[in-house]
Amino acid sequence: MFKTLKISVGLVISVSMAILATSIAIVNKLDHSESVMTVVTDNTAALSNSLALQLSILMQKDPGNNALLSSVFQPVKEHPHLLSATLYDNDYRVISTIQPKRLLEIDDASVPTSPENIPFGIAQYEDVITAHQIIGSSLYPMGHLVIYVDTNEVKALNSTHQLIKQVPFILAFWLLCTGTCFFIFYRLLSPLASLGKFTQEVYESKDYALRNSIESSNEVGQLARNINSLLDAIEVELLVNFEQKQTLVDQQETMSRLANFDSLTGLPNRQFVLDNLRLELARAKRNDEDLLLLFFDLDGFKGINDSLGHETGDLILIEVADRVQCLLRDGDLFARLGGDEFLVLPDRDASTEQAQRLATRLITAFDEPFELRGLSLTVGLSVGIATASDAGYDLSELMSNADLAMYRSKARGRGSYTLFTPDMVESHKRKLHLANGIEQGLLNDEFVVYYQVKVSNEGEVVGVEALIRWEHPEFGLVMPNEFIPIAEQGGKITALTRWIIKQVCIDMPDLKQWALTPFRASINLSGHDLRSNQLFDYIYNTFNLYDINPENVEFEVTESAYLENFALSNKFFRRIANMGCAIALDDFGTGYSSLSYLTQINIDTLKVDRQFVTELQTSERSRLVTGAIIDLAKRLSLSVCAEGIENHEQWDYLREHGCDNVQGFLFSKPIPLSVLVRSPCRYDVSAMA
C-alpha cells in the first residue's frame, strides 16, 4: 500500500487535513456550547426573578391563597427544559410545585435535591442549572423559590444544528487544503521522481557515464548534483580498479610461480612437490602400488659457498639443476627443496633397481667439475632412496626416511647412495628420544657422575676426572659418547656442564676427605661452553655457594674445541686461571697439531691421547710422538698426563720418559662416588710391576 512516496505523503496530508478540520469543528462546538450555556443561565435567572417577583406580590396581597400562588407556575409549566419549580415557606415546606417527579431523572449526584442545600442565586452543574430565590426581601422573607433546568437537551439540540451548518464549510475547507497540498507536493516531488527513473536507468544499463539534467536550488537539486559527482567518482574508480585488476592478475601469476617454483633454478619448490607427493601417495595406496623417492644434497657445497661467496654458490645450484634434468625422463619430477637439497620423484613405473641405477648416474654425473669464472669446482652427491610402502604411505615419514638414508650415505663417506631400511628409524628414534629427554633427565636426577682416578709416578692418587653418565629409565646406562654429541647439536650441552660442575662441588667434601694428598677434580668443557658468556659467572657463583677452593678444580678442553674459538677460549681460561683453577689441554696431537698456538695459550697440563698410549707397544711412531709430546711439555714447563693406561708396560714406558700423571683401567674404571671412597687412594708401584 505504501510502495511509493506519493501515496504515503498523500495519505498523511489527507489525514492531517481531516484532523485539522475536525479540530476546528470541535473548537467551534465547544465555543457554541459555552454560548448556549450562558444564554440558558441568563434565561433561568430571568425566569426565577420574574416568578419570585410575582409570588412576592401575591403573597403580600393574599397570603395563604395557595391556589392563587399555584396559578403563577402554570405559564412556565410548558417550558421545554424546565425540570421542576417549587415554592417553599420559610421552613422549606412545600407550598406549591410543578413536575417534582422529574427531579428523579437527574443522574448527576453532585446536584443537591434538598432545597436547603441549594445555593442562593444561579448554580450551574454538569447537566443541570438551579435557581434559588428568596420571596420578599432578605430582611422579611416570605418563602423560597427553587427551579431546576435541564441543559442536556439544549446542548444536544444546538450541537446538532451547529454541526449541520458547519459540515459544508468543513468539507470545502478540507478539499481546498488537501488539493493545495497535493499540488505543491507534486511539484516538489516531480524532480525526485525523475531522479529515481535516472538512477534506475544507470543501474540497469551499468553506464556510469550518464548524467542527470535536473537544475534546482533545493535539496532535490543538491541530491542530483551529488549523484552526478558520485557517478564521476565511480567512473574514475572503475578505471583505477581495472588497472589494479590487471596488476593483480599479473601479480597473482607471479605469486603462483613464486609459490610453486624456485626463483633461482626454475624447478618446482618444496610446497609444489609436497602437494604432488601427497596426491601420488594417496593414489599409490589406493591402487596398492609403491613409490620411490630420491633425496640428495651437495657434498662440499658449503665450503664453496663460504669461500667463494653466495653468488658462485647460486651458479653451482643452477648448473646442478641443468645437469640433473638431462638425466631424467619426461615423467620424473625434479624439485629443489631449499639450500642445496634436491628431490627426485621417478615416474610411476620405476622400480628399486631403476632408482638405484638413477642414483648411480647422478653420482657419476658429478665426477666432472664445474667450470665457472675460470675456476674448476667439484661437488659430489649423497643420495638417499626411500619407498612409500616402508613409510606406510605417510608423506612426512617418506621424507624423513629419505633424509635418514641420505645422511647414512654421508656417514659412509659421501659420494654414494643408500637405500632406506627400517633399522635406520630405530636408531633415529633413539637419538630423538635422547635429545628430547635431556632436560627431563636433569629434572629427574637421571644423570650421575663417575670418577676415574689420576695417579702419579709414585702411585698416589693426585686427582680424579669427573665423567657424566645417564641412567636412562628406558635405555639403561647411556654413555657420554652417545648423548654428548646429541646435546651439543640440540644446544643443551651447557645445561649438562653446569649440572656436573654443581655435582662435583657437592661431592668435593667427600673427595677431599677420601684423598690423602691435595688433588684436583677435572671437569670437561665443550666448545659450546666456551662460547657461553654466562659460564664463568656460574662457576664463580657455584664455587662461592659451596665454598670450593679453585685450586682443587681443573678444567679440561680438547685441542680442537680450544682452537675453534681461540680468542674467546683464551679470554675465558685467562679468567679461570686468575681465579686459581688449573687448565688441561686434552687429546693433544689429534687435532690441529699446530705448535705455534702453544706459545699463546694459558694451560697447565698437556694430556696425551689414548690413541698414542694404546699403540706404544706396537708402533715405533707412536712411541716417538709420545716422547716428543712429553719432551715438548717439559720444555714449556707444563705437566703431562697420559690417559688410557691398561697395563704396567705402558705405565713403565711413560714413567721412564717423564710423564707426570696417568689414568686408565690399570688403576680404575670410572666409578660412582660411593665406590670411589671405598677404594685405595694409593697404588703400590712394585706390586703392580
Side-chain angles (χ1 to χ4, degrees), residues 251-291:
Q251 290 178 345
Q252 187 175 8
E253 293 177 356
T254 302
M255 291 175 64
S256 178
R257 288 195 301 271
L258 292 175
N260 295 302
F261 293 90
D262 177 46
S263 59
L264 178 65
T265 62
L267 297 174
N269 62 12
R270 174 184 289 271
Q271 187 60 47
F272 181 85
V273 76
L274 291 183
D275 290 341
N276 278 272
L277 258 177
R278 195 173 287 109
L279 295 175
E280 287 296 316
L281 285 171
R283 180 201 60 78
K285 184 177 181 180
R286 188 168 55 250
N287 298 333
D288 195 22
E289 298 175 355
D290 206 352
L291 277 180

Side-chain angles (χ1 to χ4, degrees), residues 279-347:
L279 295 175
E280 287 296 316
L281 285 171
R283 180 201 60 78
K285 184 177 181 180
R286 188 168 55 250
N287 298 333
D288 195 22
E289 298 175 355
D290 206 352
L291 277 180
L292 287 164
L293 184 68
L294 280 77
F295 188 90
F296 68 86
D297 71 359
L298 307 180
D299 300 329
F301 177 76
K302 185 178 184 302
I304 294 175
N305 222 18
D306 294 342
S307 60
L308 300 179
H310 292 285
E311 186 176 352
T312 302
D314 290 345
L315 294 176
I316 289 286
L317 293 175
I318 294 172
E319 291 293 329
V320 168
D322 293 340
R323 189 172 293 188
V324 172
Q325 281 181 312
C326 295
L327 302 175
L328 301 178
R329 300 176 299 175
D330 292 339
D332 297 338
L333 177 61
F334 177 39
R336 180 190 176 202
L337 300 183
D340 63 333
E341 294 181 339
F342 295 86
L343 178 148
V344 177
L345 180 65
D347 202 5

Side-chain angles (χ1 to χ4, degrees), residues 367-432:
D367 291 340
E368 183 181 350
F370 295 98
E371 302 295 335
L372 297 173
R373 298 180 175 180
L375 299 173
S376 181
L377 305 176
T378 301
V379 294
L381 295 186
S382 292
V383 184
I385 306 173
T387 61
S389 56
D390 286 336
Y393 297 92
D394 182 76
L395 177 60
S396 59
E397 285 291 327
L398 179 61
M399 295 289 291
S400 177
N401 292 348
D403 189 54
L404 287 174
M406 182 197 71
Y407 277 101
R408 186 62 62 91
S409 297
K410 286 185 177 295
R412 289 166 52 188
R414 303 185 178 186
S416 62
Y417 71 85
T418 301
L419 183 64
F420 171 82
T421 55
D423 63 290
M424 298 180 187
V425 174
E426 295 303 320
S427 174
H428 182 64
K429 286 183 178 179
R430 179 181 172 94
K431 288 183 179 179
L432 287 178

Side-chain angles (χ1 to χ4, degrees), residues 294 327-328 332 344 346 353-362:
L294 280 77
L327 302 175
L328 301 178
D332 297 338
V344 177
E353 292 74 16
Q354 289 174 325
Q356 291 174 318
R357 288 197 294 270
L358 175 59
T360 302
R361 291 201 306 273
L362 291 174

Side-chain angles (χ1 to χ4, degrees), residues 605-606 627-640 660:
T605 302
L606 278 181
I629 292 174
I630 295 173
D631 184 62
L632 176 64
K634 295 300 181 183
R635 292 178 182 274
L636 293 174
S637 300
L638 301 175
S639 65
V640 182
D660 300 301

Side-chain angles (χ1 to χ4, degrees), residues 452-464 514-520 641 651 655 659-664 667 676 679-686 688:
Q452 186 176 35
V453 297
K454 294 182 180 180
V455 181
S456 68
N457 288 334
E458 290 74 26
E460 294 182 349
V461 175
V462 295
V464 291
W514 167 74
L516 296 176
T517 58
F519 79 108
R520 286 192 175 104
C641 178
W651 190 24
R655 280 191 301 166
C659 184
D660 300 301
N661 305 313
V662 293
Q663 65 183 96
F667 309 100
L676 177 68
S679 62
C681 55
R682 179 180 180 83
Y683 295 89
D684 189 348
V685 177
S686 59
M688 295 184 67

